Amino acid sequence: MTLPVPVTDEPSIWTALLGQDLTIRHVQVGEWNTRVLEAGSGPETVVLLHGVGGHLEAYARNIPALAAHHRVIAYDYPGHGLTTPTTRPLELPDYVEHLVGLLDALDVDRAHLNGESLGGWIAVKIAHAHPERVGRIVLNTPGGALSDPAVRERIRSLSQAAADDPADERIRARVTWLMADPASVTQELVDVRRTIYAQPPFAESMRNIMCLQDGDTRARNMITDEELDAIETPALVVWTSDDPSGPAAVGLRMAERLSNGRFELIQGAGHWPQWEQHRHFNELVLAFLKGDARVSAG
């Protein structure tokens, strides 16, 4: 299948970050040589957590807006991006342990967490297990609250096909799944992901990070009602009009169970509202991190 190459006036990754003082380096966290981007120098830290099979460039359109007010950290998980590939399956405790280790390595005692998909799943788990390390949490189309076999198989098949054969059309098909509008998929984004997926060890790494799409593995890692009920930190749950992972009712239910939860629906976006509707997303998040009673910017 050949998908259309889009024409878009949205910023490229480079132009979005152009003029922003930032560093990208590798930080050793246990066995993981972790790629980390840092920008900004505000009094509070915001950590950006991407989705499964993703990489820190997913937040290129958000980093400058957030870094104007906060210290911002974006990173590639174990087995993801340009961090050390994994030779074993990784489950939620692995990601939580790694993030705690990264915060320690970067001398961050407490941070706000802004997580998309798997990133939101990790944010919930760490907010429950280590509440002293967490300020506010943004759960952006979060995973871990739904286990739809068809969605799980779609994510697995698209992701593994792209890692096994990182041709343009396979990478584009995987990234297009994330979007409401195929025109949101820039050639630059495809090129970045293809470069990552073309690393020789990455196909095996993908098989191992896809373990969360297995029914039994996912079941033992799911977000529980007890965990949501116990979290007291303020939480913003963001869902979208066209999320392919599940209906907005999933996010609304999460927000209702969280004692300090709020819910926002972003129109015209799929699984990546931080990319497709980045201006609206940035306004929502900045208002929420500031503690504004009224979050909505729409």
Side-chain angles (χ1 to χ4, degrees):
M1 175 178 63
T2 301
L3 297 174
V5 177
V7 176
T8 177
D9 60 358
E10 292 294 344
S12 70
I13 293 168
W14 176 244
T15 57
L17 296 174
L18 189 64
Q20 174 67 57
D21 288 340
L22 56 84
T23 62
I24 300 178
R25 60 190 173 112
H26 278 76
V27 176
Q28 196 69 34
V29 181
E31 66 187 285
W32 309 106
N33 193 23
T34 307
R35 184 172 66 133
V36 179
L37 179 151
E38 293 186 75
S41 58
E44 297 181 326
T45 299
V46 179
V47 180
L48 305 176
L49 300 98
H50 60 74
V52 69
H55 38 86
L56 62 83
E57 285 82 6
Y59 285 101
R61 295 178 176 179
N62 317 109
I63 289 166
L66 293 171
H69 305 276
H70 304 278
R71 178 188 181 189
V72 175
I73 296 169
Y75 71 103
D76 294 340
Y77 305 145
H80 291 68
L82 298 179
T83 292
T84 311
T86 182
T87 57
R88 68 176 190 277
L90 296 178
E91 301 186 31
L92 266 295
D94 298 301
Y95 295 114
V96 169
E97 179 184 23
H98 177 261
L99 177 51
V100 171
L102 179 62
L103 294 176
D104 290 343
L106 298 177
D107 295 320
V108 178
D109 293 329
R110 190 166 180 265
H112 304 305
L113 304 180
N114 184 339
E116 176 261 324
S117 195
L118 174 57
W121 194 348
I122 295 168
V124 169
K125 292 291 185 177
I126 197 170
H128 178 258
H130 303 280
E132 74 284 355
R133 306 302 298 267
V134 177
R136 291 171 172 255
I137 56 175
V138 178
L139 309 178
N140 171 13
T141 61
L146 185 68
S147 185
D148 184 322
V151 172
R152 289 192 278 109
E153 180 53 32
R154 186 65 172 155
I155 294 171
R156 182 209 295 276
S157 61
L158 286 172
S159 301
Q160 196 62 56
D164 289 342
D165 177 15
D168 187 285
E169 63 184 32
R170 291 180 183 271
I171 300 293
R172 187 175 294 279
R174 173 62 177 95
V175 183
T176 299
W177 183 86
L178 300 165
M179 309 296 183
D181 182 359
S184 298
V185 182
T186 65
Q187 185 61 46
E188 180 193 35
L189 180 60
V190 171
D191 291 343
V192 167
R193 187 162 288 209
R194 184 174 60 243
T195 300
I196 290 169
Y197 281 21
Q199 298 172 96
F202 201 81
E204 179 186 2
S205 196
M206 182 66 81
R207 276 187 284 275
N208 283 307
I209 65 178
M210 283 295 121
C211 71
L212 291 173
Q213 309 311 321
D214 296 331
D216 291 343
T217 303
R218 193 177 190 89
R220 64 173 173 263
N221 285 276
M222 291 283 284
I223 295 169
T224 67
D225 287 347
E226 290 74 20
E227 287 171 329
L228 292 173
D229 292 345
I231 292 172
E232 298 181 355
T233 187
L236 173 63
V237 181
V238 176
W239 214 268
T240 67
S241 59
D242 297 274
D243 192 325
S245 71
V250 176
L252 180 59
R253 182 180 183 277
M254 291 181 72
E256 290 174 342
R257 291 209 73 102
L258 291 158
S259 60
N260 287 301
R262 304 177 186 179
F263 178 79
E264 291 286 341
L265 183 71
I266 294 181
Q267 298 290 335
H271 207 49
W272 270 24
Q274 85 283 356
W275 179 275
E276 286 194 279
Q277 298 294 338
H278 57 94
R279 295 177 184 85
H280 186 182
F281 183 86
N282 291 342
E283 291 172 2
L284 284 176
V285 171
L286 284 169
F288 172 69
L289 294 179
K290 185 179 177 182
D292 288 357
R294 179 176 173 79
V295 176
S296 182

